[in-house]
């Protein structure tokens, strides 16, 4: 998982409440267990017409927001089903940070596990950040995870809260597997000791029945 330290990027404004995971990645695209390739179908119903052509009015189909790495939206983002494909699709599109007044709990947790930083800020601040984002490529927003601040284009900063353990995991680029592998030597030592201490146990051989 890529580390998240400081991100200065274009932010896409999405002033909509209750964007659910089926909007983020529709159910028909959930057949894959691969994390890559989902970005082209993120927000598919909003991005594409039935013939596959793009809807020019949708924010992520417009410049400079095609290159957005930050999404600023409204309350209850990521509600609906618990599909982990939702953060996969956002990440594959290029989104590394979502700023909203509130998130659905499962989506919020899945973001951290997949290298996306979800930031909760009061609605009025999110609306101000969306106004900044509407200025386009010249109004980049900076997210400093170490300092826990969002810096607006005018240089002013907004503090945000984040769980210390989750902050550590993002800064170090660790998912659950990466966190476990940090203890690889201790796990190996435990297994070796267990084999010595329980050498009396019979070895069970599984035979294939033809």
């Amino acid at each position: 998982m890529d580390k998240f330290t400081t991100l200065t990027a274009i932010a896409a404004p999405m002033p909509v409440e209750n964007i659910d995971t089926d909007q983020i990645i529709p159910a028909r695209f959930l057949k894959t267990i691969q994390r890559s390739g989902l970005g082209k179908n993120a927000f598919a119903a909003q991005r594409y017409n039935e013939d596959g052509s793009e809807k020019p009015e949708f924010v992520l189909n417009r410049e400079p927001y095609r290159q957005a790495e930050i999404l600023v939206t409204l309350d209850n983002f990521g509600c609906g089903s618990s599909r982990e494909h939702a953060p996969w699709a956002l990440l594959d599109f290029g989104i590394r940070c979502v700023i909203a007044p509130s998130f659905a709990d499962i989506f919020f947790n899945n973001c951290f596990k997949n290298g996306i930083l979800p930031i909760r800020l009061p609605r009025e601040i999110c609306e101000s950040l969306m106004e900044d984002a509407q200025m386009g490529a010249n109004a980049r927003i900076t997210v400093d995870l170490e300092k826990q601040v969002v810096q607006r284009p005018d240089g002013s900063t907004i503090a945000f809260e984040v769980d210390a353990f989750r902050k550590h995991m993002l800064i170090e680029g660790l998912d659950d597997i990466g966190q476990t592998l940090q203890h690889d030597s201790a796990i190996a030592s435990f297994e070796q000791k267990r084999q010595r201490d329980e050498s009396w146990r019979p070895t069970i051989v599984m035979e294939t029945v033809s």
Side-chain angles (χ1 to χ4, degrees):
M1 192 169 80
D2 291 338
K3 295 181 179 181
F4 191 114
T5 52
T6 301
L7 173 67
T8 298
I10 293 167
M14 197 171 288
V16 182
E17 296 178 353
N18 303 312
I19 295 176
D20 63 34
T21 52
D22 193 58
Q23 291 174 282
I24 297 171
I25 184 70
R28 64 185 180 275
F29 301 115
L30 304 186
K31 299 175 183 178
T32 180
I33 58 172
Q34 300 294 323
R35 301 188 184 196
S36 60
L38 289 169
K40 65 181 181 294
N41 296 314
F43 300 103
Q46 290 86 353
R47 286 171 70 190
Y48 305 114
N49 295 303
E50 290 185 4
D51 62 2
S53 60
E54 290 186 347
K55 296 180 179 180
E57 69 275 10
F58 185 63
V59 62
L60 297 182
N61 289 337
R62 305 199 311 263
E63 295 294 345
Y65 306 114
R66 290 179 183 274
Q67 289 77 47
E69 295 178 69
I70 301 171
L71 188 63
V72 187
T73 185
L74 293 179
D75 306 78
N76 201 29
F77 187 82
C79 57
S81 69
S82 59
R83 63 191 68 169
E84 195 167 6
H85 292 68
W88 292 358
L90 291 176
L91 188 64
D92 194 59
F93 179 86
I95 301 296
R96 293 299 312 277
C97 177
V98 182
I99 303 174
S102 61
F103 296 87
D105 287 343
I106 294 176
F107 175 83
F108 186 78
N109 294 332
N110 282 338
C111 280
F112 285 103
K113 293 180 179 181
N114 290 282
I116 296 174
L117 173 62
I119 297 176
R120 294 188 183 108
L121 290 174
R123 182 180 176 118
E124 60 271 18
I125 294 178
C126 291
E127 291 173 345
S128 295
L129 290 173
M130 279 189 273
E131 291 179 6
D132 291 341
Q134 287 167 359
M135 292 188 289
N138 294 325
R140 293 172 183 260
I141 291 173
T142 295
V143 178
D144 188 325
L145 179 55
E146 183 64 44
K147 296 180 180 178
Q148 294 181 209
V149 294
V150 174
Q151 181 174 310
R152 299 178 64 182
D154 64 5
S156 62
T157 58
I158 304 158
F160 64 88
E161 297 296 324
V162 61
D163 176 79
F165 177 72
R166 286 171 165 168
K167 175 180 177 178
H168 165 76
M169 295 282 279
L170 283 177
I171 288 176
E172 296 300 324
L174 297 171
D175 56 15
D176 289 344
I177 294 173
Q179 169 70 7
T180 301
L181 291 177
Q182 286 194 313
H183 307 284
D184 184 54
S185 59
I187 294 170
S189 297
F190 172 82
E191 289 296 331
Q192 291 170 2
K193 182 178 183 299
R194 182 173 179 272
Q195 289 177 4
R196 291 194 303 269
D197 294 347
E198 300 184 10
S199 59
W200 54 271
R201 289 183 180 272
T203 301
I204 300 174
V205 178
M206 303 296 291
E207 296 183 358
T208 303
V209 178
S210 58

